[in-house]
Amino acid sequence: MPGITIQSPQQTDTAAIAEAAFVNVPSLLPESSYVCVGDTIDTGQQEGFLRGHGTQVVDGNLLATVCGVIQRVNKLISVVPVKARYNPELGDVVVGRVTEVANKRWRIDLKSRQAAALMLSAVNLPGGVQRRRTAEDELNMREVYTEGDLISAEVQSFYADGAIALHTRSLKYGKLANGQIVEVPPNLIKRQKQHFTTLEGTGVQLILGLNGVIWVSAESKQPPEQANSPLVSEAQPVLVRDVSKAECHAIARVANCIRALATLYFSIHPASIISVYTASLDQNVAVTAITQEAMLSDIASKEAAQREGDD
């Protein structure tokens, strides 16, 4: 019926869980910082303010064009939307899927606003040889990456039309195997010094892609003769191998811990993942039950208690 919004049970339960847990917790931002579409933004009679993204001037008033949080940087006033597609920056670590191989480049799906391309000249050749790319290299591009491959890469630059240029020249980037992807809203993953990490005591490695794609895989096992080699990076992509049942179980548990955090719209980083992982083990929660209401309520309650303690 017109004018009636129907929510799924999962959405309704999540909202109720978060509201119940944080009812007595003060907000991190003042209420006036949150706006909806059409709300007037207070400029404080500021002369010469600059209109940023998510705003529009109508009859001399600055109005919000998206739902989100007001951000002020000197005279620039913008609104950061609660949910948005990935907006890349130079140096970002991303995880994407190869969708096309053609014309000395791979097309990569990053689930972003812009298209992404990985040029043949921006990858390491097999064996790590350093030389100019030839016509033979172009013919053998599918031996490096082919359609459907998952890869990790870094944002190198931008083209004139806004498209993203990637590179995988470091040993830590490249094809991914022995794991699964978890997709979350990009703004839940914060930029940090290290996006390649091993969760201690779990046997699981993570690549926290800033485009909202997280790679969860079994810990790489290097041959003994390479373990102490300075030429081998700790984050070097793993080779395809048989993954044990215990490793599969650990991967699935970590992946569901991430999904639980994303469902509650909590920030996703190694410490928060380990916290949920440890709690699920201590309470003997089944892997499939981590994303259910009882565990979500426990996660929200612990987060609320931690924020109250910080205050």
Side-chain angles (χ1 to χ4, degrees), residues 198-212:
T198 299
L199 298 181
E200 187 175 354
T202 66
V204 174
Q205 287 183 332
L206 295 179
I207 302 178
L208 300 172
L210 285 165
N211 58 326

Side-chain angles (χ1 to χ4, degrees), residues 180-185 188-189 199 204-208 212 214-216 251-269 272-274 276-277 290-291 299:
Q180 62 171 285
I181 60 171
V182 180
E183 296 182 13
V184 302
L188 295 184
I189 302 177
L199 298 181
V204 174
Q205 287 183 332
L206 295 179
I207 302 178
L208 300 172
I214 301 175
W215 177 250
V216 187
I251 291 171
R253 182 173 290 275
V254 170
N256 271 2
C257 290
I258 295 171
R259 293 186 180 99
L261 290 168
T263 300
L264 293 168
Y265 223 72
F266 288 168
S267 180
I268 297 174
H269 48 82
S272 63
I273 298 170
I274 280 290
V276 177
Y277 181 90
I290 294 175
T291 56
I299 296 170

Side-chain angles (χ1 to χ4, degrees), residues 41 50-55 62 69-73 76-80:
I41 300 174
L50 300 177
R51 180 178 68 84
H53 293 292
T55 63
L62 187 64
V69 180
I70 300 174
Q71 186 178 66
R72 303 174 188 268
V73 180
L76 178 66
I77 303 175
S78 56
V79 177
V80 180

